[in-house]
Amino acid sequence: MKAIIKFAAFAIFAASLTSCGQPTANVGKTVTSGTADIGGAYTLINQNGETVSQADALGKPQLIYFGFSYCPDICPTALQKMGAAQARIDPDGDKLNYIFISVDPERDTPESLKLYVTANGFPKGLTGLTGTPDQVETAKTAFKVYSQKVPTPESASDYTVDHSDIMYLMDKDGEFVEFFFGKSTVPEMAARINLHLKTGT
Ligand code: NI
């Protein structure tokens, strides 16, 4: 039964691709897997320029979101919801690890993420991760994240990035627990995370 529920969640994956201000031409194109084998090894660079791996985030449950700092609306909305959920259930920000992983490593340098993660309404203590394109691809693959650069018509040198709009709740051992999507409300997210904090499920 659990597997079926998780499979259903992947069907929602396809509906959860977002385009950050662009027409949603890619919605529904990519369902990467029928399994819920989410998470795994990665090596990335944090906003302080330090090399980190998935092991550095273990020991506490994690909330992980993939996006990019130039995203005008979808990513800030998701990260503000993460911050609002934190305010309800973890006001000191010490019960979970809050992680933002860039899908735009060319523009999201550690230095730029250092400022980005402190944006108003984002979770306290948010970690920003980027890396080489290959490092980012490895992390995306581990979490079955879709993203694709899309040129913007206004400028040949500019682009946006279509990407999955999914927040992952992982347990303290890095095992997948739950997805949150764009439609998930802050009270729903807070209730689910709190249940996990209390029961481990
Ligand atoms: Ni975005």
Side-chain angles (χ1 to χ4, degrees):
M1 188 60 190
K2 198 172 183 188
I4 293 169
I5 292 167
K6 286 181 176 176
F7 185 82
F10 268 94
I12 302 169
F13 243 74
S16 299
L17 301 174
T18 186
S19 57
C20 293
Q22 290 293 301
T24 53
N26 287 298
V27 169
K29 267 189 184 173
T30 304
V31 176
T32 51
S33 173
T35 76
D37 186 18
I38 301 289
Y42 60 75
T43 300
L44 293 165
I45 313 293
N46 71 14
Q47 74 272 22
N48 298 317
E50 298 159 342
T51 298
V52 299
S53 76
Q54 79 288 349
D56 292 297
L58 302 183
K60 295 178 184 178
Q62 309 162 53
L63 278 176
I64 302 176
Y65 189 80
F66 287 75
F68 67 114
S69 71
Y70 282 71
C71 179
D73 43 24
I74 304 294
C75 293
T77 299
L79 291 168
Q80 284 167 356
K81 284 166 69 174
M82 192 190 284
Q86 180 193 60
R88 286 177 178 239
I89 57 168
D90 184 21
D92 294 331
D94 59 2
K95 293 180 183 170
L96 296 110
N97 287 320
Y98 302 84
I99 299 172
F100 173 79
I101 301 180
S102 175
V103 296
D104 186 13
E106 291 170 52
R107 291 187 296 196
D108 284 340
T109 62
E111 295 75 24
S112 65
L113 289 184
K114 188 161 189 165
L115 180 63
Y116 184 69
V117 295
T118 65
N120 199 21
F122 287 10
K124 277 186 227 171
L126 178 64
T127 295
L129 300 179
T130 186
T132 67
D134 281 350
Q135 288 174 324
V136 167
E137 277 304 314
T138 298
K140 283 170 55 184
T141 300
F143 285 83
K144 297 182 167 57
V145 163
Y146 162 90
S147 76
Q148 183 174 334
K149 281 169 73 167
V150 179
T152 48
E154 308 85 65
S155 162
S157 63
D158 204 6
Y159 62 91
T160 186
V161 184
D162 287 359
H163 65 90
S164 313
D165 182 22
I166 299 168
M167 198 178 300
Y168 301 87
L169 175 62
M170 311 295 287
D171 74 10
K172 63 182 174 51
D173 301 315
E175 299 291 328
F176 169 75
V177 177
E178 186 68 87
F179 301 107
F180 301 113
F181 301 99
K183 287 179 182 171
S184 303
T185 67
V186 169
E188 287 167 353
M189 291 167 50
R192 180 65 186 92
I193 297 163
N194 214 24
L195 176 70
H196 179 66
L197 288 173
K198 286 181 173 164
T199 68
T201 58

